[in-house]
Amino acid sequence: MSKVTKFRRRKNGLSSFLPVIGCAVLLSAIVLRPENQTAVQQDASKPRIIRGGGAWTDGSARKSVRRTQETSTASPGAQLVDTVTRIRDGDTIVVGLIPIRIANLDCAERGSKSGDRATRQITGIVKGVQLRCTLEGRRSYDREVGVCSLPDGRDIGEILIVGGYCQRWRG
């Protein structure tokens, strides 16, 4: 003879979901505790610098270098000799890791016909070239302001002005 086993069915209801709900609430309470959150807070006393998509490092992560450059300004007359690593637009280049706003130069913005023309011209002149830049000790947004010259001594700002690609800054 065979033995017949009877199974009792559980009643459907909230009682079967209570342990699951309790675990979910407990887990979310642990994860969402303030000491487990790492929020980045902006110091209201410091200006916010928008970097323009990796302009400082051309996309690479060199955070310690960036912090130093954001908070300090070069002394007037400081010399920077390094290779051009990026051209932002007609009047802004990155020499080594330092963005330089070419002093006394006013070019149209990139995206306009004359701005793109100026950007192409400066790219042809300085891309991969080692420049000597004399910094003025002031900043324009995230950039040092300076006068940069080619290895043969020609001022790149003057080259762009004489060629009709940009105007002299009258600020």
Side-chain angles (χ1 to χ4, degrees), residues 8 52 153 155 166:
R8 280 181 35 190
D155 180 329
C166 303

Side-chain angles (χ1 to χ4, degrees), residues 4 35 38 53 88 123:
V4 178
E35 60 267 14
T38 54
R88 285 193 193 174
T123 300

Side-chain angles (χ1 to χ4, degrees), residues 103-153:
N104 305 320
L105 188 63
D106 184 23
C107 298
E109 292 303 313
R110 193 176 206 171
S112 67
K113 185 178 178 180
S114 57
D116 289 343
R117 184 173 165 253
T119 302
R120 280 192 305 275
Q121 182 64 20
I122 195 168
T123 300
I125 296 171
V126 303
K127 186 175 183 181
V129 174
Q130 189 176 54
L131 298 181
R132 175 179 300 277
C133 299
T134 304
L135 305 179
E136 295 188 347
R138 60 189 173 102
R139 295 177 70 87
S140 173
Y141 300 101
D142 66 336
R143 309 165 294 183
E144 293 287 339
V145 178
V147 176
C148 297
S149 56
L150 295 168
D152 64 6

Side-chain angles (χ1 to χ4, degrees), residues 22-171:
C23 287
V25 169
L26 182 60
L27 183 61
S28 64
I30 291 170
V31 171
L32 297 176
R33 291 179 73 179
E35 60 267 14
N36 292 337
Q37 295 178 359
T38 54
V40 178
Q41 296 180 356
Q42 177 72 29
D43 185 359
S45 66
K46 293 182 182 176
R48 182 169 171 232
I49 298 174
I50 300 174
R51 291 190 186 83
W56 283 97
T57 60
D58 203 21
S60 64
R62 291 191 173 147
K63 294 178 183 174
S64 60
V65 174
R66 281 192 295 214
R67 280 190 205 108
T68 303
Q69 292 170 350
E70 286 176 4
T71 58
S72 64
T73 301
S75 301
Q79 295 282 313
L80 170 65
V81 179
D82 209 337
T83 304
V84 175
T85 56
R86 186 167 182 258
I87 292 93
R88 285 193 193 174
D89 61 15
D91 53 18
T92 303
I93 58 176
V94 179
V95 179
L97 294 174
I98 303 186
I100 308 285
R101 167 69 164 84
I102 307 300
N104 305 320
L105 188 63
D106 184 23
C107 298
E109 292 303 313
R110 193 176 206 171
S112 67
K113 185 178 178 180
S114 57
D116 289 343
R117 184 173 165 253
T119 302
R120 280 192 305 275
Q121 182 64 20
I122 195 168
T123 300
I125 296 171
V126 303
K127 186 175 183 181
V129 174
Q130 189 176 54
L131 298 181
R132 175 179 300 277
C133 299
T134 304
L135 305 179
E136 295 188 347
R138 60 189 173 102
R139 295 177 70 87
S140 173
Y141 300 101
D142 66 336
R143 309 165 294 183
E144 293 287 339
V145 178
V147 176
C148 297
S149 56
L150 295 168
D152 64 6
R154 293 181 295 152
D155 180 329
I156 60 172
E158 288 299 319
I159 293 170
L160 293 171
I161 292 169
V162 170
Y165 298 97
C166 303
Q167 302 296 315
R168 188 170 306 281
W169 175 257
R170 306 207 190 279

